[in-house]
Each structure stands twice: as C-alpha cells, then as structure tokens.
Amino acid sequence: MAPAWPERLKAALLRRARILLGLLAAAVGLGYGGGWHWFAELFAHFFIQYWLAALVLAAIFFWARSRGWALAALVLLALCSLELAPFFRAEEAAPAGDEVVALLQFNAAQSPGRLESWLAATTPGPDLILLLEATPDFVPLLERLRPRYPHQWQRLQEGPFGIALLSRRPFARAAAIEPIGPEHPGLDLRLESGGRPLRILGIHPPPPLGELLAGQRDRYMDELAGLLRPEEATLVLGDLNSTVWSPRLRAFMARTGMADCQRGLGLAASWPAATAALPGVGGLLGLPIDLCLQAGPVRLLERRVEADLGSDHLPVLTRFSF
C-alpha cells in the first residue's frame, strides 16, 4: 500500500529541506572564505537572511521529528546568531560630549527624490547631510536648501560617485580625498565642539562585482586606511557596498582600529529600499551596506533607517556626541 498523502508530503518537504540546508551551509562557508576571492565574499553579506532560513529549516526538521537534521540546522542558526549578536548587545559607551549631532547619510541614486519634502516635514532635522551619487542636477536643490544649510561642500559629477555635504554648523575644514583617483572622490571633514575635534570621512568605494571592481575596491580601502589615525576621533560613513560581515572589511577595521557604529543599536538594513522599507519585516530582508565606522572618543546615541525617499537606498540617521 502506498503511503498516505500526508506522509508523501512530509517526505517531499524533508528532501527539499535537506537540500536547502546543504546549500545554506555552503553559502555560509563561502562567506567566511571571502578574504580569498571576490566571488566568495558576495556570500558574506546575508547573515540576516541565513539566520532566518536556518530558523525556518530547524522548525521543519523538528516538526518532522528529524532530530539529526534539526541539530545541524541549530548549529547553523547558532553560528548566524553569533554574527548578529553584537547588534543587540549593549556596548560600553564613550564619554558623552556637550553637544549631540545628527547626521543623515543618503545614497540618492543620482536623483534628489523626496529629500526636500522630507526635510520640510522634519523638525529640527539633521545637522549634517551626506549625499552620495550627487550629480550636477542637484545644484538647484542645494541652493534651495542653503538658507537652512548654509555651509556646503560638494564634488558633483555625472555617474554614481558624486558627493556633497550640507551643514547647519560651520566646519573647520572640508577637502576632497581621491583614494584611487578623481573619478571616486570622498570627503574629509573636520568639526569642532568645545575644542574637541572630530574627523568625518564620507566615502563610496566601487561595488566589488567582478575581479576588476573588487580590486579597485580593495585599493580604495587600502589607501583610505593610510589616511586614518587611530588616536583621532573619527567617523567613516557612506555606502561601502559591503556589510560588516565581509572578511575584507573586517581586515580593514582590524588594521585601522575602526569599529561598527551599529553595535548595540539594532540592525539598520538600508538596501534595497524596496524590501528594506517593508513594515515589520524590512530589517530581515535588506542589507546594512550604508555603514558608519568609528574610532576614538565618539559616543553613538542612535542609528536608524529613515523613510523611503525614492532611492534604491534608505537614508540612515546617526546621532552622536564627541
């Protein structure tokens, strides 16, 4: 007699779940090997989704009373949980400064989108705005915002690597950096508060999609590392085209003494906006690639994604003191 249809369904589900668990383990392993090859590194960015998949597979195996496979799924779940834990574990805060600064970073995808209307509806609004993928088409917007943000610096250019900064407060210095040439400019900004200096670097390295671009990204980060001073209060912000799970970004952080600003502040998945902005589940479906790294006496108070402003990235607001 053939098995009843519930048993056949259960057997078919188990077969597929075992295949998926094997693929999941392979993806996690490739991610950890991302320091060896650019293609393997691509698998390092999905630990949020790996955690969710391992949880679902563990539930399936427990339901099917397949204890060995359930244990294997739990091992992967625990491994992914270790990668996510720093986002939810409270960190010892640096001493607070006298003044809180709010900085909005936004990869605008070469279009101002709804930024102006969002700022009009936001009170008091961020103190500084770092715009990436800012083109010459942004000039009218920047001029309209000048009464509110009188201190501005910009390197506008066609394509995805223009950059601009808008500030309500004066800055001590603003200059361009060109880690791999003028086609990939970045910002080197210095602020002061109560005599305490803060260095802010706004960057947008190439996306490591292919051997050529991955090599350019690696050279960009190597040159950037040479510009940093571990003893300085420093923030590095931008679309890094990477998550902090990348072995190559972790090597950069170890070399420079930088740490992830997001530690202890929850997840801030910012890309792609189409999934990251979904109510309730966006944090599980997006990737946190619009990053903030810190060194020195900077106290991070809050870091969160903001509303969808029409780009493929969500803006991220960081509040800090120094």
Side-chain angles (χ1 to χ4, degrees):
M1 179 181 295
W5 72 265
E7 290 302 317
R8 294 199 303 270
L9 177 62
K10 177 179 175 180
L13 183 60
L14 273 176
R15 285 196 299 271
R16 286 162 175 78
R18 290 166 186 152
I19 293 171
L20 288 174
L21 186 63
L23 293 174
L24 180 60
V28 171
L30 280 170
Y32 280 121
W36 297 96
H37 195 274
W38 69 266
F39 182 73
E41 185 194 5
L42 297 178
F43 291 87
H45 307 305
F46 299 92
F47 273 97
I48 301 172
Q49 292 76 29
Y50 295 157
W51 179 90
L52 184 61
L55 180 65
V56 171
L57 289 172
I60 291 172
F61 290 128
F62 275 112
W63 166 77
R65 294 193 174 99
S66 182
R67 295 180 181 176
W69 287 95
L71 179 60
L74 286 177
V75 169
L76 272 181
L77 182 64
L79 190 62
C80 295
S81 297
L82 288 174
E83 296 293 344
L84 300 182
F87 294 97
F88 302 98
R89 184 171 57 238
E91 297 283 334
E92 182 178 351
D98 297 329
E99 184 179 5
V100 174
V101 179
L103 186 154
L104 184 80
Q105 63 185 92
F106 179 41
N107 183 328
Q110 305 178 54
S111 172
R114 295 185 288 274
L115 175 63
E116 187 173 11
S117 60
W118 180 83
L119 287 171
T122 304
T123 304
D127 300 292
L128 299 100
I129 303 173
L130 176 67
L131 290 175
L132 302 177
E133 299 199 16
T135 71
D137 292 338
F138 280 61
V139 169
L141 170 66
L142 298 181
E143 289 304 315
R144 290 195 300 271
L145 293 176
R146 192 173 291 277
R148 189 172 178 183
Y149 292 94
H151 308 283
Q152 299 187 9
W153 178 95
Q154 55 194 252
R155 277 284 296 269
L156 308 179
Q157 61 186 46
E158 298 294 346
F161 294 106
I163 185 170
L165 179 95
L166 296 79
S167 177
R168 294 198 304 209
R169 53 186 293 162
F171 35 80
R173 177 178 178 269
I177 57 172
E178 298 177 350
I180 57 173
E183 68 278 8
H184 294 93
L187 164 67
D188 188 350
L189 177 76
R190 293 180 186 271
L191 297 178
E192 289 189 358
S193 176
R196 295 181 297 274
L198 173 68
R199 189 181 187 190
I200 298 177
L201 289 103
I203 65 170
H204 189 192
L209 299 174
E211 186 175 357
L212 176 62
L213 287 173
Q216 291 179 349
R217 186 280 312 270
D218 291 343
R219 287 193 293 110
Y220 187 109
M221 300 304 288
D222 284 344
E223 292 296 326
L224 180 66
L227 300 176
L228 297 174
R229 302 291 179 268
E231 67 278 3
E232 288 184 319
T234 304
L235 294 177
V236 175
L237 302 106
D239 173 7
L240 271 65
N241 282 305
S242 173
T243 66
V244 292
W245 301 300
S246 162
R248 299 192 183 198
L249 183 57
R250 286 181 169 178
F252 168 84
M253 293 165 66
R255 174 183 172 186
T256 58
M258 306 294 289
D260 182 13
C261 297
Q262 199 67 41
R263 295 173 306 166
L265 298 177
L267 295 169
S270 58
W271 180 89
T275 56
L278 291 174
V281 297
L284 298 176
L285 301 178
L287 298 180
I289 65 173
D290 294 278
L291 297 180
C292 170
L293 307 178
Q294 69 173 105
V298 184
R299 183 177 185 185
L300 273 296
L301 305 173
E302 182 183 20
R303 187 166 155 77
R304 67 173 190 264
V305 294
E306 292 289 350
D308 185 353
L309 300 183
S311 170
D312 61 336
H313 291 248
L314 296 179
V316 183
L317 182 73
T318 303
R319 295 176 63 250
F320 60 90
S321 63
F322 65 98

